[in-house]
Amino acid sequence: MSNNRGHLMIKTALHAGRIMIESGSEVARVEDTINRIAINAGFPDSKVYVTITGMMMSISGEENAQIEPVSSRTIDLEKISLVNDYSRQFAAGSISLEQFDDLLTKLEQNPPYFSFWLQLISAGLVSGTLEVVFRNNYQDFLITCVIGLIGWAVFYGVNQLARVRFLSEFLASVAIGAMAILAVRANLGNSVDDIIIGSVMPLVPGVPLTNAVRDILAGDLVSGIARGIEALMSAIAIGSGIAMILQVL
């Protein structure tokens, strides 16, 4: 029975950790959550090793180590919050270990996403607002909102159609750059630079870059450097798309 419960504990803890890593959590938070799950399940002597590409966990003195690969990463802070809520409920005894694992499975099967239209509207408002904040250009607020909205739609659509890393950022930035140039030429906007700066803001990998710094400061050098390179590649894809369209048009 102890071996079965230990196996279930490791399975549940790694399941929770994988969801958190895939949703953009920093490594230190994932390690803390996994360790708390182990302690609350009655296994305080468990060992866990976490990176952004995979996790390994075992119980000292038992032959039951398990590995959990992490194949995709995005930003979904609501998922991270829900996993932490489930962990607190388990710690309080409100749910059992089996119920905890079932809740994690349901969370993956029915993720609480915002609707596509709400994402579009939010991306547009963020683009226009940050364009005003960064450039103090009120005249281009509306056109920046529209272009930022369309750019996010391109980003979202490419992500759904082609699972190729950094392609969505590149194509979205190309579309943003082209629309900004054409809008100014059609006298719908005043400054190409200001419109582009505001419109690409929803694409900028701010959370991954922040988590990379936090991982490095926490001593998780492998994950911090890997996440930093990933954020840098996204930034390069965005910059390359803008640079290419500026040269073409």
Side-chain angles (χ1 to χ4, degrees), residues 27-28 30 34 47 63 67-68 73 81 90 123 154 175 194 233:
V27 170
V30 175
I34 291 176
K47 301 294 187 294
E63 299 178 354
I67 297 175
E68 185 79 17
R73 286 170 297 280
S81 176
F90 176 63
V154 173
D194 292 358
M233 291 299 297

Side-chain angles (χ1 to χ4, degrees), residues 198-210:
S199 299
V200 300
M201 281 300 128
L203 307 178
V204 173
V207 174
L209 186 59
T210 301

